[in-house]
Amino acid sequence: MAAQEQQQPQSRDVESEADAPEAPPAAPEAQASVATQGVDDLLDEIDGVLESNAEEFVRAFVQKGGQ
Amino acid sequence: MTARPEGLPSEKLPVGGAMRVMGSETEYGIHAPSAPGANATMMSARIIQAYANLTRQRAAGGAETRWDYTDEEPLHDARGWTVERSAADPSQLTDRPPVLDAEAVALAYGRQELEADGSDESGSLLMNMVLGNGARLYVDHAHPEYSSPEVTNPRDIVAWDAAGDLVALATVRKVAADPDLPAINLYKNNTDNKSVSYGSHENYLMPRSVPFGDIVRGLTPFFVTRQVICGAGRLGTGQDGSISGFQISQRADFFEAEVGLETTIRRPIINTRDEPHATADKYRRLHVIIGDANLSQVSNYLKFGTTALVLSLIEAGQAPKIEVHEPVAGLQAISHDTSLTATVRLLDGRRVTALDIQWMYYEAAAKLAQETGVSDSFTGDGHTRDVLERWESTLGLLGNNPAGAASSVEWLAKMSLLDGYRNRDGLEWNDARLGLVDLQWSDVRPEKGLYYRMLSRDRMQRIVDDATISRAVVEPPTDTRAYFRGKCVSSFGKDVVGASWDSVIFDVPGIGKLQRVPTREPLRGTEALTGPLFRKHATAGAFLRELLGLDPAPPA
């Protein structure tokens, strides 16, 4: 979103001085369809940040009661 | 403040929509991987101590302030009675300071650990702080808890709730930097998947005139179903998570009753704790314990925003007239069905899905907002329209294209990640790596927390930007009494000896006795009302003299 806002003044300069309607912000659906791409990239990154020895780590996460 | 007349225009919020005095509470899961047997209460105290040390560096004179327990009433029941202390579960006695004094710590853990921990001047570990942003940070049972300052709208709750996650992060960093302490991780989740749950609570201010029975009838069908937009997702079913699979809510399997006072045992869908923390004959504080802690900003926003709308419906007598047959079983059936096709039976005989019920509430809320004008784009309250639009679009996606809601609805975001792993590596639901993904989703460290990895790739939508959240770590909201509390702590910390939701206590040299300033009206103590006073006075003495109308200090 921030990147789009920064680009708008540039594209206006190039086109014309008339008030062109601004591009509508990406709908949630469009954002999500972008999000379905690059899943492999994401998983590769997460592979690198997951704690080592998943089984032991999950087993050791024991909490006392709360509200 | 007490001298101001009732009912100034700035002290009322628009009625009928999503604006309301509200706040959040988050108990963080706590774990030291290198010291698995470490005592959870002691670790939690170290977390609070770490923040006290950090804020001492930030604010001259010390930003940490002790909690004042005078007005805590955890055994008052909204249905009109009070539980005998002797009949209460010990975990309900939250009105006594949980200070670990030196002797208790020494008995439990040995003197060496006490000395290594660094106790404060009075010889006891600090367990309770009031922060400069108006929040409370303390040890609750065996978890560190952040209670946000009071805000007036769902956008602000997202900011000040997420600020708590940054506070938690700061404490994790501080402990990790100490070579003498084992590193401590904090998780914004609600269960260890080994039969223990800890809460994320919401608080909403309501007029006391609304009958409690109306609240129970109006809220129960909504609470049974709102998880489809604000559940955080959980791997495993049953309290110990031993039945494999993925479900919508972290908390659903831990609820066993429809209405009740308890929060740690026999948890009820509607909690009746009646501690208003405000003028008791005017207000009740509705204490909601059924929600999941949310990292997703949209889920958090909708959780508070839609609940505020439903409370407005109840106050107006316009909540949908429906009643769910066996709501506890319905809550769990809905949580266990990620296809969103499970139905519950209404007492009128209809069988409906969670989405059907959410649409009934949406339609009623949109109608009321239109009648009262609060959703008007120009003359509305500036919040209700946006909450209604996001609620409507989210329900639409959940019904037609659930994958499209994976960038906003937290359980779907987490499920998309788990599905990614299952598809790539052919994992079964009970694979330990998926359990780790579920847990590490909520790690508060951005380099480790998987929610934050998704956020950094713009796979999660934002409601507020990072700068707003960072500001909320140090600045209080301007439009509630949290402003007064936070500014007192950050401006006059060394002269504030205690504070609570409805008071700030000063011990000022030259003013004989302790001065307790009551703040029982949540919409006073705002920047508009007290900002000039904070800007005018550099010392607590002069500030307090003008605030309380005391005689000026005699010439030295």
Side-chain angles (χ1 to χ4, degrees):
Chain A
M1 300 281 275
Q4 283 174 0
E5 283 162 16
Q6 284 163 8
Q7 283 168 8
Q8 278 163 6
Q10 285 180 354
S11 57
R12 246 185 237 158
D13 289 344
V14 177
E15 283 166 14
S16 73
E17 293 188 19
D19 280 349
E22 294 183 15
E29 294 90 333
Q31 289 178 2
S33 72
V34 171
T36 56
Q37 298 159 10
V39 173
D40 288 346
D41 275 4
L42 175 70
L43 295 184
D44 287 347
E45 181 196 326
I46 288 176
D47 284 340
V49 304
L50 281 180
E51 307 281 356
S52 52
N53 200 341
E55 190 158 359
E56 188 185 317
F57 196 93
V58 169
R59 193 188 315 120
F61 181 73
V62 178
Q63 299 294 292
K64 287 253 170 64
Q67 297 204 42
Chain B
M1 298 215 312
T2 47
R4 291 197 174 263
E6 297 282 329
L8 288 178
S10 63
E11 295 172 10
K12 299 254 192 238
L13 296 176
V15 172
M19 290 194 78
R20 179 172 297 272
V21 174
M22 50 189 156
S24 71
E25 309 169 25
T26 304
E27 288 182 66
Y28 292 92
I30 185 165
H31 181 47
S34 66
N39 179 279
T41 305
M42 179 62 86
M43 282 197 292
S44 300
R46 279 189 184 138
I47 288 293
I48 311 305
Q49 195 70 41
Y51 204 65
N53 292 339
L54 278 170
T55 54
R56 252 196 286 277
Q57 289 161 11
R58 186 161 68 208
E64 88 285 13
T65 295
R66 288 178 181 282
W67 192 255
D68 168 26
Y69 281 87
T70 313
D71 290 315
E72 304 271 321
E73 297 163 327
L75 302 181
H76 277 222
D77 194 303
R79 293 166 293 185
W81 61 78
T82 299
V83 171
E84 290 290 324
R85 293 193 78 83
S86 57
D89 187 86
S91 64
Q92 287 176 266
L93 303 178
T94 55
D95 55 345
R96 297 284 168 82
V99 169
L100 284 181
D101 65 27
E103 280 309 307
V105 172
L107 278 172
Y109 308 110
R111 292 192 184 276
Q112 278 180 338
E113 178 153 17
L114 174 65
E115 282 157 16
D117 236 325
S119 52
D120 73 1
E121 301 80 9
S122 65
S124 60
L125 288 168
L126 194 63
M127 302 281 275
N128 226 316
M129 294 175 68
V130 183
L131 310 186
N133 72 350
R136 179 189 187 192
L137 181 69
Y138 69 115
V139 179
D140 191 1
H141 304 287
H143 302 268
E145 174 165 330
Y146 170 91
S147 302
S148 83
E150 305 90 327
V151 300
T152 61
N153 64 77
R155 183 170 295 270
D156 282 353
I157 200 69
V158 172
W160 269 275
D161 185 67
D165 303 336
L166 288 187
V167 168
L169 173 64
T171 66
V172 166
R173 299 281 197 232
K174 179 77 175 164
V175 171
D178 186 335
D180 295 329
L181 293 178
I184 295 175
N185 295 350
L186 295 178
Y187 298 89
K188 193 182 191 183
N189 64 3
N190 299 107
T191 178
D192 66 357
N193 253 349
K194 298 167 190 70
S195 75
V196 161
S197 182
Y198 32 99
S200 143
H201 298 172
E202 302 141 64
N203 297 289
Y204 302 90
L205 197 73
M206 301 187 72
R208 182 154 295 272
S209 55
V210 180
F212 200 74
D214 290 2
I215 298 175
V216 173
R217 275 187 296 280
L219 270 179
T220 300
F222 177 72
F223 278 173
V224 166
T225 55
R226 72 170 190 172
Q227 55 180 314
V228 299
I229 54 177
C230 59
R234 177 185 174 205
L235 196 66
T237 298
Q239 293 196 356
D240 63 2
S242 60
I243 304 165
S244 73
F246 183 79
Q247 65 172 310
I248 289 171
S249 160
Q250 290 259 307
R251 292 277 273 173
D253 287 351
F254 296 94
F255 280 73
E256 297 168 330
E258 293 174 27
V259 183
L261 184 59
E262 297 86 0
T263 57
T264 56
I265 47 170
R266 299 184 300 278
R267 290 185 186 89
I269 293 173
I270 306 286
N271 183 236
T272 56
R273 184 187 286 190
D274 189 6
E275 280 179 293
H277 295 319
T279 303
D281 53 354
K282 281 173 68 179
Y283 305 114
R284 75 167 77 249
R285 175 185 62 121
L286 183 73
H287 188 233
V288 173
I289 68 170
I290 198 170
D292 290 358
N294 282 128
L295 286 154
S296 158
Q297 293 185 10
V298 175
S299 279
N300 216 19
Y301 178 78
L302 287 175
K303 178 172 68 184
F304 281 92
T306 62
T307 302
L309 285 171
V310 171
L311 294 178
S312 294
L313 283 175
I314 292 167
E315 288 167 11
Q318 295 187 27
K321 301 277 185 291
I322 56 172
E323 204 171 328
V324 175
H325 179 65
E326 295 188 348
V328 175
L331 172 78
Q332 291 163 0
I334 288 167
S335 181
H336 298 167
D337 171 44
T338 57
S339 75
L340 302 176
T341 55
T343 57
V344 294
R345 190 158 69 80
L346 302 182
L347 287 197
D348 64 17
R350 283 181 288 169
R351 293 207 72 98
V352 292
T353 64
L355 285 173
D356 291 334
I357 292 178
Q358 285 289 305
W359 278 119
M360 292 179 208
Y361 278 93
Y362 167 79
E363 299 291 349
K367 179 166 170 286
L368 175 63
Q370 194 173 24
E371 285 168 10
T372 55
V374 289
S375 60
D376 188 275
S377 3
F378 298 105
T379 58
D381 64 16
H383 295 281
T384 299
R385 185 180 187 82
D386 187 62
V387 173
L388 285 168
E389 283 176 357
R390 284 182 187 272
W391 193 5
E392 182 182 27
S393 66
T394 302
L395 292 176
L397 281 175
L398 289 171
N400 301 317
N401 172 28
S407 62
S408 55
V409 172
E410 187 157 351
W411 66 271
L412 276 163
K414 188 189 280 182
M415 194 168 83
S416 74
L417 196 54
L418 292 166
D419 279 340
Y421 265 94
R422 276 159 41 82
N423 292 336
R424 189 191 69 175
D425 300 341
L427 303 181
E428 297 294 326
W429 276 120
N430 62 359
D431 191 280
R433 205 140 42 108
L434 297 186
L436 186 58
V437 169
D438 184 20
L439 173 59
Q440 213 173 313
W441 174 268
S442 61
D443 192 317
V444 300
R445 296 171 296 174
E447 73 278 13
K448 282 290 191 183
L450 304 187
Y451 161 75
Y452 291 104
R453 301 320 312 146
M454 303 264 284
L455 184 69
S456 75
R457 287 172 170 255
D458 289 329
R459 284 172 167 272
M460 300 299 299
Q461 295 177 42
R462 294 169 195 265
I463 298 289
V464 293
D465 60 22
D466 286 348
T468 302
I469 300 171
S470 296
R471 220 167 27 245
V473 172
V474 287
E475 292 289 334
T478 58
D479 54 356
T480 69
R481 64 186 176 186
Y483 177 83
F484 179 79
R485 180 187 317 119
K487 284 292 174 187
C488 283
V489 168
S490 57
S491 304
F492 308 122
K494 71 180 166 55
D495 299 309
V496 174
V497 295
S500 70
W501 299 120
D502 49 17
S503 70
V504 177
I505 303 173
F506 286 88
D507 183 6
V508 176
I511 299 182
K513 52 185 193 309
L514 292 184
Q515 295 290 332
R516 186 170 193 270
V517 182
T519 56
R520 297 178 73 79
E521 286 290 340
L523 291 175
R524 294 196 198 156
T526 58
E527 181 174 37
L529 292 173
T530 66
L533 214 51
F534 282 105
R535 288 189 281 275
K536 181 176 170 189
H537 295 293
T539 68
F543 171 81
L544 213 51
R545 282 193 179 88
E546 180 166 349
L547 180 73
L548 301 175
L550 303 177
D551 291 336

